[in-house]
Amino acid sequence: MTTSDHSRTGGPNVLVSRERLLGTVTRWRRHGTPNVATSGAEQAARGVFGPGSVAWDVLLHPAVIVFQSPAQFILQLTYKPVVAGVRDWDPISKKAHRGELTLFDVFDRGQRNSGIHAPMWLGDKDTATRVSQHLIRVHEKVAGDVIDVGTPELGGYRANSPRESMWAALTEMHTMLWVYERLGFNGFRLPRRLAPELRDRFVAEVSEYCRLFPHDESELPQSMADLRKLYAKYDDLFGVTKTLAIIPETGQNFHELWMDSIKKNYHPSQRKVKVQLFFQEGLFKLLAMAAVSGKTRKNSGLTPGKEKAVLAARLLLLPLVWLVQKPMIERYFLRMMWGPDAVELVNAARKLHAEAKRG
């Protein structure tokens, strides 16, 4: 079942079985079975990144598998045009308007995030192109004249514009680097930062990913210094405000609409969803918040006191961070949050990547 499933009476499907929670391949798959990138001489075989890349060093690490989704949403939801697009156009917002949004819908929205993108990160060029073109088509209507009613001078947004497409890709990938460097154990060795030249190479590889979508070639960063300049250039588009959640057409607060609908449609079977959200929106988000940059924590609305508590929690919970990266636990979250195709892609990519590194 998908988030569009409804009961026979026409209302929202509030029942959540174990099978519905786990989902089938159709929840994630878009336009055919994905094919993993290889070490072939042709770029088409290698895909966007491919075996031996720094991006795959990062992407395939167990810490990234476990923490990628909550970390991505932390940074991405500080970019105001993304919030505006979700507020005005996301299917879960549309459902909230109709009073049909359920707790499962919210979980499903986050659950599909990594698995739908994985074919672009790990697939060959044909796979990556098919999925990216699908996402471009999905976002064609996502545009509006007002990002924030409280700061109209920011103007509007358009999901398929070079600016928004670039930041969607950059925020996805930058959070993975932060997770890898600050939460990723290597055996019993504590997480550590990549060497500067590897960080620059990672950014250059990420720009290749940006090229799957509408982009301005002159803006794509080739180094960490370039990326820092981009953040500075677009600094006014990052952060949270009290008015960002206000729907321009109606004056309603979309967060309140969500909560009202979720409460109205609650069913005891949704306790299964609560357990998953405890990890994704609770424990893992707490740890991911400690992994992102201080500027991102500030943009998320954390006070200095809360930031200190988050950083202290990371130190206290390092044994748990290590534990969830162990194969059995990582496999659970890989299947639950990335889906069956991604399980196959990750396993195949890890073998190819290890061979390329040995070579």
Side-chain angles (χ1 to χ4, degrees), residues 54 181 192-202 224:
V54 179
E181 292 184 326
R192 62 178 182 175
R193 189 175 176 133
L194 285 176
E197 61 272 17
L198 292 179
R199 300 183 99 231
D200 287 343
R201 204 163 95 199
F202 176 81
M224 269 294 164

Side-chain angles (χ1 to χ4, degrees), residues 147-205:
I147 293 174
D148 186 344
V149 296
T151 50
E153 62 272 18
L154 291 179
Y157 64 92
R158 185 165 58 88
N160 280 340
S161 68
R163 184 186 73 184
E164 264 71 279
S165 291
M166 176 185 71
W167 278 116
L170 290 178
T171 50
E172 284 172 14
M173 301 303 298
H174 199 182
T175 50
M176 292 187 208
L177 180 63
W178 284 334
V179 166
Y180 177 84
E181 292 184 326
R182 295 167 186 172
L183 298 177
F185 279 82
N186 184 4
F188 288 103
R189 192 168 64 186
L190 288 170
R192 62 178 182 175
R193 189 175 176 133
L194 285 176
E197 61 272 17
L198 292 179
R199 300 183 99 231
D200 287 343
R201 204 163 95 199
F202 176 81
V203 173
E205 290 173 359

